[in-house]
Amino acid sequence: RKEVEQDPGPFNVPEGATVAFNCTYSNSASQSFFWYRQDCRKEPKLLMSVYSSGNEDGRFTAQLNRASQYISLLIRDSKLSDSATYLCVVTTNAGKSTFGDGTTLTVKP
Amino acid sequence: DGGITQSPKYLFRKEGQNVTLSCEQNLNHDAMYWYRQDPGQGLRLIYYSQIVNDFQKGDIAEGYSVSREKKESFPLTVTSAQKNPTAFYLCASSTPGQWDQPQHFGDGTRLSIL
């Protein structure tokens, strides 16, 4: 079993739709959690950190459930420009980061 | 502007040849990382360094070597022992000990076999 697992998708949604991605992790020593966005043939870029209390940044909401060991990303009112691969990243208290394989989102007109 | 610079953007390796990928950062980060990404897959950790003159193997270190002689620089050598080197290589840096701080990435090097 992988340390960090994501549904690979692809998720194909119309503009304006709400879409949610989940990511599960197996290491209970995990300390920090992030969502990155990666466009085709580009480097990953930080989308948002994930805090225990949940956090929101515009149309994006991230949540953490430590008891069930998963994090989620919700995108509301999807835009064409949201089309990308979304990577979840889990960092342990020893500083080692593990990336999920990513979930691909395509937003269609 | 602070950031991470990787070079070259594209690199071709002949069989039996060692090649070195450059990674330089001016973010004053202590920790640096090398990842490999294959098509349709996530990032896999090759090597990481939390401080100058020290580095540790990641999950897929075989066939690779690194050095960390300066805080700003963390070059990766892909040796001839790496039989399947074709991939997208990403360098990152962060501040160790501050686990809520994310990693920052360079824009990557694409390595192919001639």
Side-chain angles (χ1 to χ4, degrees), chain A residues 7-84:
Chain A
D7 182 345
F11 284 65
N12 297 306
V13 303
E15 266 188 296
T18 295
V19 61
F21 308 137
N22 287 328
C23 171
T24 59
Y25 60 94
S26 59
N27 189 340
S28 58
S30 299
Q31 191 81 10
S32 303
F33 309 88
F34 307 95
W35 283 101
Y36 280 76
R37 171 196 169 120
Q38 186 174 26
D39 293 291
C40 189
R41 300 179 69 81
K42 299 282 191 181
E43 76 278 18
K45 292 188 177 176
L46 179 69
L47 179 65
M48 59 197 303
S49 302
V50 186
Y51 301 118
S52 296
S53 55
N55 48 299
E56 190 174 302
D57 182 2
R59 298 181 293 110
F60 299 86
T61 300
Q63 292 196 313
L64 166 64
N65 185 320
R66 285 190 186 272
S68 301
Q69 296 188 188
Y70 77 83
I71 64 173
S72 64
L73 176 68
L74 182 78
I75 305 176
R76 291 182 299 279
D77 189 23
S78 299
K79 311 290 184 192
L80 296 176
S81 57
D82 293 334
S83 297

Coordinates of all heavy atoms in Angstrom, one line a residue, chain A residues 7-84:
Chain A
D7 N -7.1 9.4 -5.6 CA -7.9 8.9 -6.8 C -7.3 9.5 -8.0 O -7.3 10.7 -8.1 CB -9.3 9.3 -6.6 CG -10.2 8.8 -7.7 OD1 -9.7 8.4 -8.8 OD2 -11.5 8.8 -7.5
P8 N -6.8 8.7 -9.0 CA -6.1 9.3 -10.1 C -7.0 10.1 -11.1 O -6.6 10.9 -11.9 CB -5.5 8.1 -10.8 CG -6.3 7.0 -10.4 CD -6.8 7.3 -9.0
G9 N -8.4 9.8 -11.0 CA -9.3 10.4 -11.9 C -9.2 9.7 -13.3 O -8.9 8.5 -13.3
P10 N -9.3 10.4 -14.4 CA -9.5 11.8 -14.4 C -10.9 12.3 -14.0 O -11.9 11.5 -14.2 CB -9.2 12.2 -15.9 CG -9.6 10.9 -16.6 CD -9.3 9.8 -15.7
F11 N -11.0 13.5 -13.5 CA -12.3 14.1 -13.2 C -12.6 15.1 -14.4 O -11.8 15.9 -14.7 CB -12.2 14.9 -11.9 CG -12.3 14.0 -10.7 CD1 -11.2 13.2 -10.4 CD2 -13.3 14.1 -9.8 CE1 -11.3 12.4 -9.3 CE2 -13.4 13.4 -8.6 CZ -12.3 12.5 -8.4
N12 N -13.7 14.8 -15.1 CA -14.1 15.7 -16.2 C -15.4 16.4 -15.7 O -16.4 15.7 -15.5 CB -14.3 14.9 -17.4 CG -13.0 14.3 -17.9 OD1 -12.0 14.9 -18.1 ND2 -13.1 13.0 -18.1
V13 N -15.3 17.7 -15.5 CA -16.5 18.4 -15.0 C -16.8 19.7 -15.9 O -15.8 20.2 -16.5 CB -16.2 18.9 -13.6 CG1 -15.9 17.7 -12.7 CG2 -15.2 19.9 -13.5
P14 N -18.0 20.1 -15.9 CA -18.3 21.3 -16.7 C -17.9 22.6 -15.8 O -17.8 22.5 -14.6 CB -19.8 21.2 -16.8 CG -20.3 20.4 -15.7 CD -19.2 19.5 -15.4
E15 N -17.7 23.6 -16.6 CA -17.5 24.9 -15.9 C -18.6 25.2 -14.9 O -19.8 24.9 -15.1 CB -17.5 26.1 -16.9 CG -16.2 26.4 -17.5 CD -16.3 27.7 -18.3 OE1 -16.9 27.6 -19.4 OE2 -15.7 28.7 -17.9
G16 N -18.2 25.7 -13.7 CA -19.2 26.1 -12.7 C -19.5 24.9 -11.7 O -20.1 25.1 -10.7
A17 N -19.0 23.7 -12.0 CA -19.2 22.6 -11.1 C -18.4 22.7 -9.9 O -17.4 23.4 -9.8 CB -18.9 21.3 -11.9
T18 N -18.8 21.9 -8.9 CA -18.0 21.8 -7.6 C -17.4 20.4 -7.7 O -18.1 19.4 -8.0 CB -18.9 21.9 -6.4 OG1 -19.4 23.2 -6.3 CG2 -18.1 21.6 -5.1
V19 N -16.1 20.3 -7.4 CA -15.5 19.0 -7.4 C -14.6 18.8 -6.2 O -14.1 19.8 -5.6 CB -14.6 18.9 -8.7 CG1 -13.5 19.9 -8.8 CG2 -14.0 17.5 -8.9
A20 N -14.5 17.6 -5.7 CA -13.8 17.3 -4.5 C -12.8 16.2 -4.7 O -13.1 15.2 -5.4 CB -14.7 16.9 -3.3
F21 N -11.6 16.3 -4.2 CA -10.6 15.3 -4.2 C -10.2 14.9 -2.8 O -10.1 15.7 -1.9 CB -9.3 15.9 -4.9 CG -9.4 16.5 -6.2 CD1 -8.8 17.7 -6.5 CD2 -10.3 16.0 -7.2 CE1 -8.9 18.3 -7.7 CE2 -10.4 16.6 -8.4 CZ -9.7 17.8 -8.6
N22 N -10.0 13.6 -2.7 CA -9.5 13.1 -1.4 C -8.1 12.5 -1.5 O -7.7 12.1 -2.6 CB -10.5 12.0 -0.9 CG -11.8 12.6 -0.4 OD1 -11.8 13.7 0.1 ND2 -12.8 11.8 -0.6
C23 N -7.5 12.5 -0.4 CA -6.1 11.9 -0.3 C -6.0 11.2 1.1 O -6.3 11.9 2.1 CB -5.1 13.1 -0.5 SG -3.4 12.6 -0.2
T24 N -5.6 10.0 1.1 CA -5.4 9.3 2.3 C -3.9 9.0 2.6 O -3.1 8.9 1.6 CB -6.1 7.9 2.4 OG1 -5.6 7.1 1.3 CG2 -7.6 8.1 2.2
Y25 N -3.5 9.0 3.8 CA -2.1 8.8 4.2 C -2.0 7.7 5.3 O -3.0 7.6 6.1 CB -1.4 10.1 4.6 CG -2.0 10.7 5.8 CD1 -1.5 10.5 7.1 CD2 -3.0 11.7 5.7 CE1 -2.0 11.2 8.2 CE2 -3.6 12.3 6.8 CZ -3.1 12.0 8.0 OH -3.6 12.7 9.1
S26 N -0.9 7.0 5.3 CA -0.8 5.9 6.2 C 0.1 6.1 7.4 O 0.0 5.4 8.4 CB -0.3 4.6 5.5 OG 0.9 4.9 4.9
N27 N 1.0 7.1 7.3 CA 1.9 7.4 8.4 C 1.3 8.3 9.5 O 1.1 9.5 9.2 CB 3.2 8.0 7.8 CG 4.3 8.1 8.8 OD1 4.1 8.0 10.0 ND2 5.6 8.2 8.3
S28 N 1.1 7.7 10.6 CA 0.5 8.5 11.7 C 1.4 9.6 12.2 O 0.9 10.5 13.0 CB 0.0 7.6 12.8 OG 1.2 6.9 13.4
A29 N 2.7 9.6 11.9 CA 3.6 10.7 12.3 C 3.6 11.9 11.4 O 4.4 12.8 11.5 CB 5.1 10.1 12.3
S30 N 2.7 11.8 10.4 CA 2.5 12.9 9.5 C 2.2 14.2 10.2 O 1.3 14.2 11.1 CB 1.5 12.6 8.4 OG 1.9 11.5 7.7
Q31 N 2.9 15.3 9.8 CA 2.7 16.5 10.6 C 2.1 17.7 9.7 O 1.4 18.5 10.3 CB 4.1 16.9 11.0 CG 4.2 18.0 12.0 CD 3.9 17.5 13.4 OE1 3.9 16.3 13.7 NE2 3.8 18.4 14.4
S32 N 2.5 17.7 8.5 CA 2.1 18.9 7.6 C 1.5 18.3 6.3 O 2.0 17.3 5.8 CB 3.3 19.8 7.3 OG 3.9 20.2 8.5
F33 N 0.6 19.1 5.8 CA -0.1 18.6 4.6 C -0.3 19.8 3.7 O -0.6 20.9 4.1 CB -1.5 18.1 5.1 CG -1.4 17.1 6.2 CD1 -1.4 17.6 7.5 CD2 -1.3 15.8 5.9 CE1 -1.3 16.6 8.6 CE2 -1.2 14.9 7.0 CZ -1.2 15.3 8.3
F34 N -0.2 19.5 2.4 CA -0.3 20.5 1.4 C -1.0 20.0 0.1 O -0.9 18.8 -0.1 CB 1.1 21.0 0.9 CG 2.0 21.4 2.1 CD1 2.9 20.5 2.6 CD2 2.0 22.7 2.6 CE1 3.7 20.8 3.7 CE2 2.8 23.0 3.6 CZ 3.7 22.1 4.2
W35 N -1.6 20.9 -0.6 CA -2.0 20.6 -2.0 C -1.2 21.4 -2.9 O -1.0 22.7 -2.7 CB -3.5 21.0 -2.1 CG -4.4 20.0 -1.5 CD1 -5.1 20.1 -0.3 CD2 -4.8 18.7 -2.1 NE1 -5.9 19.0 -0.1 CE2 -5.7 18.1 -1.2 CE3 -4.5 18.0 -3.3 CZ2 -6.3 16.8 -1.4 CZ3 -5.1 16.8 -3.5 CH2 -6.0 16.2 -2.6
Y36 N -0.7 20.8 -4.0 CA 0.0 21.4 -5.0 C -0.8 21.2 -6.3 O -1.5 20.3 -6.5 CB 1.4 20.8 -5.2 CG 2.5 21.2 -4.3 CD1 2.5 20.8 -3.0 CD2 3.5 22.1 -4.7 CE1 3.5 21.2 -2.1 CE2 4.5 22.5 -3.8 CZ 4.5 22.1 -2.5 OH 5.5 22.5 -1.6
R37 N -0.5 22.2 -7.2 CA -1.1 22.1 -8.6 C 0.1 21.9 -9.5 O 1.1 22.6 -9.4 CB -1.9 23.4 -8.9 CG -2.3 23.5 -10.3 CD -2.7 24.9 -10.6 NE -2.9 25.0 -12.1 CZ -4.0 25.4 -12.7 NH1 -5.0 25.8 -11.9 NH2 -4.1 25.4 -14.0
Q38 N -0.1 21.0 -10.5 CA 0.9 20.8 -11.5 C 0.3 20.9 -12.9 O -0.6 20.0 -13.2 CB 1.7 19.5 -11.3 CG 2.8 19.3 -12.3 CD 3.7 18.1 -12.0 OE1 3.2 17.1 -11.5 NE2 5.0 18.2 -12.4
D39 N 0.7 21.8 -13.7 CA 0.3 21.9 -15.1 C 1.2 21.0 -15.9 O 2.3 20.6 -15.5 CB 0.3 23.3 -15.6 CG -0.7 24.2 -14.9 OD1 -1.9 24.0 -15.1 OD2 -0.3 25.0 -14.1
C40 N 0.6 20.6 -17.1 CA 1.3 19.7 -18.0 C 2.8 20.1 -18.2 O 3.0 21.2 -18.7 CB 0.5 19.5 -19.2 SG 1.1 18.2 -20.3
R41 N 3.7 19.2 -17.9 CA 5.1 19.5 -18.2 C 5.7 20.6 -17.5 O 6.7 21.2 -17.9 CB 5.4 19.6 -19.7 CG 4.9 18.4 -20.5 CD 5.1 18.6 -22.0 NE 6.5 18.6 -22.4 CZ 7.3 17.6 -22.5 NH1 6.8 16.4 -22.4 NH2 8.6 17.7 -22.9
K42 N 5.1 21.0 -16.3 CA 5.7 22.1 -15.5 C 5.9 21.5 -14.1 O 5.6 20.4 -13.8 CB 4.6 23.2 -15.4 CG 4.3 23.8 -16.7 CD 5.3 24.8 -17.2 CE 4.8 25.6 -18.4 NZ 5.9 26.5 -18.8
E43 N 6.6 22.4 -13.3 CA 6.9 22.0 -11.9 C 5.6 22.2 -11.1 O 4.7 23.0 -11.4 CB 8.0 22.8 -11.4 CG 7.7 24.3 -11.0 CD 7.7 25.2 -12.1 OE1 7.6 24.8 -13.3 OE2 7.7 26.4 -11.8
P44 N 5.5 21.4 -10.0 CA 4.4 21.6 -9.0 C 4.5 23.0 -8.4 O 5.6 23.5 -8.1 CB 4.6 20.5 -8.0 CG 5.5 19.5 -8.6 CD 6.4 20.3 -9.5
K45 N 3.3 23.6 -8.2 CA 3.3 24.9 -7.5 C 2.3 24.8 -6.3 O 1.2 24.2 -6.4 CB 2.9 26.0 -8.4 CG 3.9 26.3 -9.5 CD 3.6 27.5 -10.3 CE 4.7 27.7 -11.3 NZ 4.4 28.8 -12.2
L46 N 2.7 25.3 -5.2 CA 1.8 25.3 -4.0 C 0.5 25.9 -4.2 O 0.4 27.1 -4.7 CB 2.5 26.0 -2.8 CG 1.7 26.0 -1.5 CD1 1.7 24.5 -0.9 CD2 2.4 26.9 -0.5
L47 N -0.6 25.2 -4.0 CA -1.9 25.7 -4.0 C -2.3 26.2 -2.6 O -2.7 27.3 -2.5 CB -2.9 24.6 -4.5 CG -4.3 25.0 -4.6 CD1 -4.5 26.0 -5.7 CD2 -5.2 23.8 -5.0
M48 N -2.2 25.3 -1.7 CA -2.5 25.7 -0.3 C -2.0 24.7 0.7 O -1.9 23.5 0.4 CB -4.0 26.0 -0.1 CG -4.9 24.8 -0.4 SD -6.7 25.3 -0.6 CE -7.0 26.2 0.9
S49 N -1.7 25.2 1.9 CA -1.4 24.3 3.0 C -2.8 23.9 3.6 O -3.8 24.5 3.3 CB -0.7 25.1 4.1 OG 0.5 25.6 3.6
V50 N -2.7 22.8 4.4 CA -4.0 22.3 5.0 C -3.8 22.3 6.5 O -2.9 21.7 7.0 CB -4.2 20.8 4.5 CG1 -5.6 20.3 5.0 CG2 -4.2 20.7 3.0
Y51 N -4.7 23.0 7.1 CA -4.6 23.2 8.6 C -5.7 22.3 9.3 O -6.7 22.0 8.7 CB -4.7 24.7 9.0 CG -3.7 25.5 8.3 CD1 -4.0 26.6 7.5 CD2 -2.3 25.3 8.6 CE1 -3.1 27.4 6.9 CE2 -1.4 26.1 8.0 CZ -1.8 27.1 7.1 OH -0.8 27.9 6.6
S52 N -5.4 22.0 10.5 CA -6.3 21.1 11.3 C -7.7 21.6 11.3 O -8.7 20.8 11.3 CB -5.8 21.0 12.7 OG -4.5 20.3 12.7
S53 N -7.9 22.9 11.4 CA -9.2 23.5 11.5 C -9.9 23.7 10.1 O -11.0 24.1 10.1 CB -9.1 24.9 12.2 OG -8.2 25.7 11.5
G54 N -9.2 23.3 9.1 CA -9.7 23.5 7.7 C -9.4 25.0 7.3 O -9.3 25.9 8.2
N55 N -9.2 25.2 6.0 CA -8.9 26.5 5.6 C -9.5 26.7 4.2 O -9.6 25.8 3.4 CB -7.5 26.9 5.7 CG -6.6 25.8 5.1 OD1 -6.6 24.6 5.6 ND2 -5.8 26.1 4.1
E56 N -9.7 28.0 3.9 CA -10.3 28.3 2.6 C -9.5 29.5 1.9 O -9.0 30.3 2.6 CB -11.8 28.8 2.9 CG -12.6 29.0 1.7 CD -14.1 29.4 2.1 OE1 -14.7 28.6 2.8 OE2 -14.5 30.4 1.7
D57 N -9.4 29.4 0.6 CA -8.8 30.4 -0.1 C -9.6 30.6 -1.4 O -9.4 29.9 -2.4 CB -7.3 30.0 -0.5 CG -6.6 31.1 -1.2 OD1 -7.1 32.2 -1.4 OD2 -5.4 30.9 -1.6
G58 N -10.5 31.6 -1.3 CA -11.3 31.9 -2.5 C -12.2 30.7 -2.8 O -13.0 30.2 -1.9
R59 N -12.1 30.1 -3.9 CA -13.0 29.0 -4.3 C -12.5 27.6 -3.8 O -13.1 26.6 -4.1 CB -13.1 28.9 -5.9 CG -13.7 30.2 -6.5 CD -13.8 30.1 -8.0 NE -12.5 30.1 -8.6 CZ -11.9 29.0 -9.2 NH1 -12.6 27.8 -9.2 NH2 -10.7 29.1 -9.8
F60 N -11.3 27.6 -3.2 CA -10.7 26.4 -2.7 C -10.8 26.2 -1.2 O -10.6 27.2 -0.5 CB -9.2 26.4 -3.1 CG -9.0 26.5 -4.6 CD1 -9.0 27.7 -5.2 CD2 -8.8 25.4 -5.4 CE1 -8.8 27.8 -6.6 CE2 -8.6 25.4 -6.7 CZ -8.6 26.7 -7.4
T61 N -11.2 25.0 -0.8 CA -11.3 24.7 0.6 C -10.6 23.4 0.9 O -10.8 22.4 0.2 CB -12.8 24.5 1.1 OG1 -13.5 25.7 0.8 CG2 -12.9 24.2 2.5
A62 N -9.7 23.4 1.9 CA -8.9 22.2 2.2 C -9.3 21.8 3.6 O -9.6 22.6 4.5 CB -7.4 22.5 2.2
Q63 N -9.4 20.5 3.8 CA -9.8 20.0 5.2 C -8.9 18.8 5.5 O -8.4 18.1 4.6 CB -11.2 19.6 5.2 CG -12.2 20.7 5.1 CD -13.6 20.4 5.5 OE1 -14.1 19.4 5.1 NE2 -14.2 21.2 6.3
L64 N -8.7 18.6 6.8 CA -7.8 17.6 7.3 C -8.6 16.8 8.4 O -9.3 17.3 9.2 CB -6.6 18.1 8.0 CG -5.7 17.2 8.9 CD1 -5.1 16.1 8.1 CD2 -4.7 18.0 9.6
N65 N -8.6 15.5 8.2 CA -9.2 14.6 9.2 C -8.1 13.7 9.8 O -7.8 12.7 9.1 CB -10.3 13.8 8.6 CG -11.1 12.9 9.6 OD1 -10.5 12.3 10.5 ND2 -12.4 12.9 9.5
R66 N -7.5 14.0 10.9 CA -6.4 13.2 11.4 C -6.9 11.9 11.9 O -6.1 10.9 11.8 CB -5.8 14.0 12.6 CG -4.9 15.2 12.2 CD -4.1 15.7 13.4 NE -3.4 16.9 13.0 CZ -2.1 16.9 12.5 NH1 -1.5 15.8 12.3 NH2 -1.5 18.0 12.2
A67 N -8.1 11.8 12.4 CA -8.5 10.5 12.9 C -8.6 9.5 11.8 O -8.3 8.3 12.0 CB -9.9 10.7 13.6
S68 N -9.1 9.9 10.7 CA -9.3 9.0 9.6 C -8.1 9.1 8.6 O -8.1 8.3 7.6 CB -10.6 9.3 8.8 OG -11.7 9.2 9.7
Q69 N -7.2 9.9 8.9 CA -6.0 10.1 8.1 C -6.3 10.4 6.6 O -5.8 9.7 5.7 CB -5.0 8.9 8.2 CG -4.5 8.8 9.7 CD -3.4 7.7 9.9 OE1 -3.1 7.4 11.0 NE2 -2.9 7.1 8.8
Y70 N -7.0 11.5 6.4 CA -7.2 11.9 5.0 C -7.3 13.4 5.0 O -7.7 14.1 5.9 CB -8.4 11.2 4.3 CG -9.8 11.8 4.7 CD1 -10.3 12.9 4.1 CD2 -10.5 11.1 5.6 CE1 -11.5 13.4 4.4 CE2 -11.8 11.6 6.0 CZ -12.3 12.7 5.3 OH -13.5 13.2 5.7
I71 N -7.0 13.9 3.8 CA -7.2 15.4 3.5 C -8.0 15.5 2.3 O -8.1 14.6 1.5 CB -5.8 16.1 3.4 CG1 -5.0 15.6 2.2 CG2 -5.0 16.0 4.6 CD1 -3.8 16.5 1.9
S72 N -8.7 16.6 2.2 CA -9.5 16.8 1.0 C -9.3 18.2 0.4 O -8.9 19.1 1.1 CB -11.0 16.6 1.4 OG -11.4 17.6 2.3
L73 N -9.7 18.4 -0.8 CA -9.6 19.7 -1.5 C -11.0 19.8 -2.3 O -11.3 18.9 -3.0 CB -8.5 19.7 -2.5 CG -8.4 21.0 -3.3 CD1 -8.0 22.2 -2.5 CD2 -7.3 20.8 -4.4
L74 N -11.6 20.9 -2.0 CA -12.9 21.2 -2.7 C -12.7 22.4 -3.5 O -12.2 23.5 -3.1 CB -14.0 21.5 -1.6 CG -15.4 21.7 -2.1 CD1 -16.1 20.4 -2.5 CD2 -16.3 22.4 -1.1
I75 N -13.1 22.3 -4.8 CA -13.1 23.4 -5.7 C -14.5 23.8 -6.1 O -15.2 23.0 -6.7 CB -12.2 23.1 -7.0 CG1 -10.8 22.6 -6.6 CG2 -12.1 24.3 -7.9 CD1 -10.0 22.2 -7.8
R76 N -14.9 25.0 -5.8 CA -16.2 25.5 -6.2 C -16.2 26.3 -7.4 O -15.1 26.9 -7.7 CB -16.8 26.3 -5.0 CG -17.2 25.6 -3.8 CD -17.8 26.5 -2.7 NE -16.8 27.6 -2.4 CZ -15.9 27.4 -1.5 NH1 -15.7 26.2 -0.9 NH2 -15.1 28.4 -1.2
D77 N -17.3 26.3 -8.2 CA -17.4 27.2 -9.4 C -16.1 27.0 -10.3 O -15.4 27.9 -10.6 CB -17.5 28.7 -8.9 CG -17.8 29.6 -10.1 OD1 -18.4 29.1 -11.1 OD2 -17.5 30.8 -10.0
S78 N -15.9 25.8 -10.7 CA -14.7 25.4 -11.5 C -14.6 26.3 -12.7 O -15.6 26.6 -13.4 CB -14.8 24.0 -12.0 OG -14.9 23.1 -10.9
K79 N -13.3 26.7 -13.0 CA -13.0 27.5 -14.1 C -12.2 26.6 -15.1 O -11.5 25.6 -14.7 CB -12.1 28.7 -13.8 CG -12.7 29.5 -12.6 CD -13.9 30.3 -13.0 CE -14.3 31.2 -11.9 NZ -15.7 31.7 -12.1
L80 N -12.1 27.0 -16.4 CA -11.3 26.3 -17.3 C -9.9 26.2 -16.9 O -9.2 25.2 -17.1 CB -11.4 26.9 -18.7 CG -12.8 26.9 -19.4 CD1 -12.7 27.7 -20.7 CD2 -13.3 25.5 -19.6
S81 N -9.4 27.3 -16.3 CA -8.0 27.4 -15.8 C -7.7 26.5 -14.6 O -6.5 26.4 -14.3 CB -7.7 28.9 -15.5 OG -8.6 29.3 -14.5
D82 N -8.7 25.9 -14.0 CA -8.4 25.0 -13.0 C -8.0 23.6 -13.5 O -7.5 22.8 -12.7 CB -9.7 24.7 -12.1 CG -10.1 26.0 -11.3 OD1 -9.3 26.8 -11.0 OD2 -11.3 26.1 -11.0
S83 N -8.1 23.4 -14.8 CA -7.6 22.1 -15.3 C -6.1 21.9 -15.1 O -5.3 22.7 -15.5 CB -7.9 22.1 -16.9 OG -9.3 22.2 -17.1
A84 N -5.8 20.8 -14.4 CA -4.4 20.6 -14.0 C -4.4 19.2 -13.2 O -5.5 18.6 -13.1 CB -3.9 21.7 -13.1

